[in-house]
Amino acid sequence: MRNLEFKEKMHEYSIWRANLVQAIEMYQQWLTRYGMDDAHRTNTLLNILSSLKNDRITLAFVAEFSRGKTELINAMFFAESGVRLLPSSPGRTTMSPTEIFYDAEGGSYIRLLNIESRLEDMSLAEFKNIPERWTQLELNCDSPTQMQNAFKELIATKKVDRELADRLGLWNEREAATQGVMNPDTVEIPCWRHALISFPHPLLKEGLSIIDTPGLNALGTEPELTLNMLPSAQAIIFLLAADTGVTKSDLEIWMNHINRARSAKKQGLAVVMNKIDAMWDDLGGSNDYDRSIKSQIKASATILKIDEESIFPVSAKQALLAKIKSDKELLAKSRISALENYLSNDILRDKRNIMASIVMRDIGSLINESVNTANTALAHASEQLEEFRKVDFHNQDMTGKLMAETRDRQSLYMANVENFQSSRRVFIVQAKMLINSLAEERINEVIYAAKHDISKSLTTIGMKQNIRKLFDDLRDLLQDSVDITNETRRLVKAIHKKFKDEYGFKEIEPILFDIKKYQIELEEVFEEGEAFRTSAKVTMTEQGIVVDKLYSTLVAKAKAILGRAHDDAISWSNGALSPLARQIKDHKKQIEGRLQMLRKINESKGTVAENIAHLEAELVPLKRQREELAIMIKSMQLEGQLAESG
């Protein structure tokens, strides 16, 4: 079946990632073995290894109620259980946003966060770090029926006072009036705000993660979903119903949540036109059926302003049934294969390319430097061997002259060290200014001041104005850092140029701290927040809790970006002059090695041939060192991306 292809592709990606982790760990051991490791290199490698080991392929399924979203998840990933694992019967839809993954340490469970937690000043991300705040149900993975019954808790609701529903942002008088509901004493609301599901399904164990979002109401009242969780997904799968096409609420989700989450980019985005079985007409024949589907796809593509090829007509219900019954004919009729192929090929390929580019960005310069170091060490040793082959070591004057030349180089080296230490002291002062400009205390000072102003606002309009002021203050703070960054970059370039021009060091293009990307990210957060703030749902409800949650989400995102900038500035400053320091260290090693060799030859009672043979033997470990590195680079599959070296 076609879903096997997705499983196979997922398995291939998992193997590639495991091999990459192994190769990077081998590289780390190689650095240690040959005395080339340092705090900066170790920290960089540990960070990328942690990122790879915790990597997940996240697919977010988004739709209004009754579009068959959960049924599609069942059909695509959990059909082999032989049952409808997640609750998706008509009228019984998932009420809380749900994340499905595998937690190797925690085991198999459902964790449920109560709906009243929305009244607390904490984000979902913060709640996830406090397991005791969640209601936990254990899952028996050997019993699909037990799991099926446990999952029914996802659709649990309860009746609460209208006042509480209003405070939770789950009641709107105008919306209710349009449905003929006037002044009820109680309101039915979901029991749970968010659900986390972990169990050892093969795809989940290999890193698949699924986000199931329940309709416009959840997206409109939980800014964290739209501004954090959806943008982090590798792909968003947006569902429409084939018999209705793009409805008003579908379009609102599309405009205010999906387009914003993907920053208006169409990569990693699939529109599924589900329930095509509702258009089956035995009397009309297959031609009329195909024409009806094509017509609906064309109309939907025009409204959503996307290519028709991005819309996949599917019957999730028939696909699930076909897989459970192993009915190939029905499976083909469900048309689910095209969607699965898209996820298998495009999404997983893109994810792999992205991960490879991240690894290349983070450790490419380290590997290039290691290649240069290994090549240079071997080249120096080979040159020395050739030089010594031509020397008459029985001539004491010539040997003395070589010793004197080498000691002169040693004196020059000591001058290099002194100048380097002086340059480094100047750099440390400048780097500290950069790091302090992004310090958490400065950021918190701006945020706390804004929070104080917002708490005094009596209207949502006042709250929104204060959010805008917060954005402006954070922009100003980052601009201070930009000015200091530019000065720091100029200093690093000048130091590198000095050592190249005055001491003949090998030219190394210094890695410069890039603050521009954090500026861009921060602006995107502000734009997303403004778009969410002015969306129809928020504007219409004017509910303080939604604006409050929006504020908390935006602040958390802004703090995360600036915190990352701060940590990256520290990491960069620790390693900015490391290539120069290593060149000086290597230079020292070469000089000391040369002096030691000259002394050995001078004091040796053996023949010149024996001394030359000894020098040749010294090349063997250097060749092995370079060969080992080449094997590791090949294992990382980065050789084509690395700069030409040596």
Side-chain angles (χ1 to χ4, degrees):
M1 288 187 181
R2 280 301 197 178
N3 196 37
L4 289 177
E5 186 178 347
F6 180 78
K7 290 179 182 177
E8 286 163 4
K9 291 280 185 182
M10 190 74 199
H11 184 62
E12 279 177 16
Y13 176 78
S14 180
I15 295 293
W16 171 80
R17 188 177 55 209
N19 288 340
L20 185 55
V21 165
Q22 186 181 40
I24 294 171
E25 287 174 339
M26 286 170 62
Y27 174 57
Q28 191 176 15
Q29 292 161 9
W30 181 90
L31 289 169
T32 303
R33 188 159 58 248
Y34 293 108
M36 297 184 196
D37 58 335
D38 56 37
H40 171 65
R41 281 177 163 175
T42 300
N43 187 53
T44 300
L45 292 173
L46 288 176
N47 284 341
I48 194 67
L49 284 170
S50 174
S51 176
L52 282 166
K53 289 173 182 177
N54 296 314
D55 169 57
R56 282 180 179 160
I57 302 279
T58 303
L59 304 178
F61 289 77
V62 182
E64 187 54 293
F65 287 111
S66 303
R67 300 294 186 267
K69 174 174 39 63
T70 308
E71 187 82 328
L72 181 62
I73 295 171
N74 281 325
M76 292 183 71
F77 307 113
F78 306 129
E80 74 276 8
S81 67
V83 297
R84 181 177 277 115
L85 201 58
L86 301 176
S88 61
S89 301
R92 296 168 63 82
T93 186
T94 308
M95 298 300 292
S96 59
T98 303
E99 294 178 67
I100 307 168
F101 53 90
Y102 177 56
D103 173 5
E105 293 181 7
S108 303
Y109 58 77
I110 303 177
R111 286 182 185 157
L112 300 156
L113 183 64
N114 67 61
I115 194 70
E116 288 80 7
S117 66
R118 298 193 65 201
L119 299 174
E120 298 180 50
D121 188 19
M122 278 178 67
S123 66
L124 287 170
E126 290 171 311
F127 275 116
K128 287 177 186 177
N129 292 323
I130 315 173
E132 57 269 23
R133 288 300 311 271
W134 301 68
T135 299
Q136 180 155 320
L137 308 177
E138 301 301 326
L139 292 175
N140 179 2
C141 297
D142 295 325
S143 172
T145 305
Q146 187 272 340
M147 292 177 72
Q148 191 180 30
N149 288 331
F151 288 147
K152 287 178 182 174
E153 190 61 35
L154 299 174
I155 60 177
T157 61
K158 62 183 177 182
K159 288 186 180 279
V160 298
D161 291 342
R162 187 180 63 191
E163 182 190 351
L164 176 58
D166 189 30
R167 285 171 59 213
L168 290 168
L170 297 172
W171 162 257
N172 180 260
E173 198 169 331
R174 272 181 288 180
E175 282 185 357
T178 61
Q179 298 164 11
V181 179
M182 305 292 288
N183 299 322
D185 293 329
T186 60
V187 177
E188 188 175 55
I189 64 169
C191 287
W192 311 110
R193 177 185 179 188
H194 202 80
L196 303 174
I197 300 176
S198 166
F199 63 100
H201 183 279
L203 284 172
L204 302 180
K205 286 176 77 173
E206 293 196 322
L208 179 68
S209 174
I210 297 164
I211 300 174
D212 184 1
T213 60
L216 180 59
N217 198 43
L219 290 168
T221 55
E222 286 281 12
E224 212 168 335
L225 283 176
T226 301
L227 302 181
N228 277 0
M229 293 172 67
L230 296 188
S232 70
Q234 272 67 62
I236 293 178
I237 293 92
F238 177 56
L239 276 77
L240 305 169
D243 52 348
T244 61
V246 183
T247 66
K248 183 181 176 183
S249 56
D250 289 330
L251 188 59
E252 188 175 338
I253 291 177
W254 177 264
M255 297 300 293
N256 294 320
H257 303 287
I258 293 179
N259 268 353
R260 297 294 175 187
R262 304 309 293 180
S263 299
K265 295 175 185 172
K266 300 300 183 286
Q267 293 89 344
L269 179 61
V271 176
V272 173
M273 184 168 285
N274 193 24
K275 303 189 178 182
I276 57 171
D277 50 305
M279 301 170 73
W280 289 356
D281 183 355
D282 292 336
L283 294 176
S286 61
N287 288 339
D288 284 354
Y289 171 58
D290 286 340
R291 273 196 296 272
S292 297
I293 291 175
K294 285 177 183 175
S295 174
Q296 193 67 286
I297 288 174
K298 185 179 178 67
S300 299
T302 302
I303 294 170
L304 300 179
K305 295 183 175 61
I306 58 171
D307 296 332
E308 291 180 30
E309 291 72 28
S310 299
I311 300 180
F312 298 88
V314 165
S315 170
K317 179 181 175 182
Q318 299 305 324
L320 178 61
L321 184 62
K323 288 182 179 182
I324 289 173
K325 292 186 171 183
S326 298
D327 186 336
K328 291 183 179 180
E329 188 179 332
L330 184 59
L331 185 65
K333 202 174 179 183
S334 76
R335 303 197 188 191
I336 200 169
S337 298
L339 175 63
E340 290 175 340
N341 288 341
Y342 166 70
L343 295 176
S344 301
N345 299 316
D346 294 47
I347 298 304
L348 289 177
R349 181 196 63 221
D350 290 348
K351 172 65 174 176
R352 178 166 166 167
N353 290 340
I354 290 167
M355 188 54 73
S357 67
I358 290 171
V359 171
M360 187 63 218
R361 180 197 69 201
D362 290 349
I363 68 172
S365 60
L366 297 185
I367 294 171
N368 269 325
E369 194 188 336
S370 295
V371 170
N372 281 330
T373 301
N375 286 342
T376 302
L378 183 58
H380 276 295
S382 299
E383 287 166 14
Q384 185 170 273
L385 175 60
E386 289 307 311
E387 182 186 1
F388 284 2
R389 275 182 175 142
K390 297 169 186 172
V391 172
D392 178 6
F393 286 106
H394 296 300
N395 185 333
Q396 292 293 319
D397 290 341
M398 189 173 286
T399 307
K401 185 181 176 185
L402 285 173
M403 292 283 279
E405 284 176 3
T406 307
R407 287 202 176 94
D408 285 344
R409 289 189 197 176
Q410 199 170 35
S411 298
L412 182 62
Y413 161 77
M414 296 308 295
N416 288 347
V417 170
E418 195 174 320
N419 275 296
F420 177 73
Q421 296 296 357
S422 175
S423 296
R424 182 152 65 179
R425 283 192 289 273
V426 175
F427 170 75
I428 287 170
V429 172
Q430 184 64 34
K432 191 169 179 57
M433 287 173 62
L434 171 60
I435 292 164
N436 289 343
S437 74
L438 294 161
E440 188 177 10
E441 296 78 20
R442 289 194 70 207
I443 295 161
N444 284 341
E445 195 177 312
V446 172
I447 289 169
Y448 290 148
K451 195 164 189 177
H452 177 70
D453 291 340
I454 286 173
S455 67
K456 292 194 298 183
S457 298
L458 300 176
T459 65
T460 52
I461 293 172
M463 291 169 75
K464 291 169 186 176
Q465 286 172 342
N466 282 312
I467 289 176
R468 255 199 312 270
K469 182 180 180 300
L470 168 65
F471 292 171
D472 291 337
D473 291 344
L474 288 175
R475 277 193 192 97
D476 292 343
L477 182 146
L478 193 55
Q479 187 56 50
D480 291 344
S481 301
V482 170
D483 297 338
I484 297 170
T485 298
N486 291 335
E487 186 57 41
T488 311
R489 286 166 67 103
R490 281 192 288 272
L491 178 62
V492 170
K493 283 182 176 179
I495 292 172
H496 275 77
K497 188 173 187 305
K498 174 183 177 180
F499 278 84
K500 175 182 172 289
D501 294 346
E502 294 183 19
Y503 303 111
F505 273 40
K506 183 181 176 70
E507 184 172 7
I508 297 174
E509 186 63 35
I511 298 171
L512 301 175
F513 184 64
D514 178 19
I515 201 165
K516 188 74 179 171
K517 62 183 179 182
Y518 307 109
Q519 275 187 298
I520 292 169
E521 284 184 49
L522 205 59
E523 286 303 321
E524 285 175 354
V525 169
F526 299 159
E527 287 171 16
E528 289 166 4
E530 194 64 11
F532 191 95
R533 186 184 68 75
T534 55
S535 68
K537 180 78 178 173
V538 177
T539 304
M540 184 174 70
T541 57
E542 284 293 327
Q543 288 165 320
I545 190 170
V546 178
V547 178
D548 194 43
K549 290 295 172 197
L550 171 62
Y551 167 78
S552 299
T553 302
L554 295 175
V555 164
K557 282 196 82 170
K559 279 188 74 172
I561 291 166
L562 294 169
R564 202 167 64 250
H566 177 259
D567 294 344
D568 290 350
I570 293 174
S571 178
W572 171 78
S573 64
N574 287 338
L577 299 183
S578 293
L580 281 178
R582 283 191 282 269
Q583 277 205 56
I584 291 171
K585 183 181 174 184
D586 292 341
H587 194 196
K588 178 188 178 187
K589 195 187 294 182
Q590 288 160 19
I591 292 168
E592 289 176 346
R594 185 180 176 87
L595 280 171
Q596 187 181 10
M597 192 58 68
L598 284 167
R599 286 194 202 100
K600 274 185 185 176
I601 290 170
N602 236 358
E603 295 163 5
S604 174
K605 304 216 180 339
T607 66
V608 173
E610 286 171 340
N611 288 325
I612 294 297
H614 182 72
L615 282 170
E616 286 172 341
E618 296 280 327
L619 294 178
V620 174
L622 292 174
K623 287 178 180 175
R624 184 170 62 245
Q625 174 180 312
R626 192 173 68 167
E627 287 162 3
E628 288 173 1
L629 183 59
I631 290 168
M632 282 177 277
I633 291 171
K634 191 171 183 181
S635 297
M636 292 181 203
Q637 298 179 33
L638 298 175
E639 60 270 41
Q641 301 176 55
L642 290 166
E644 285 294 316
S645 307

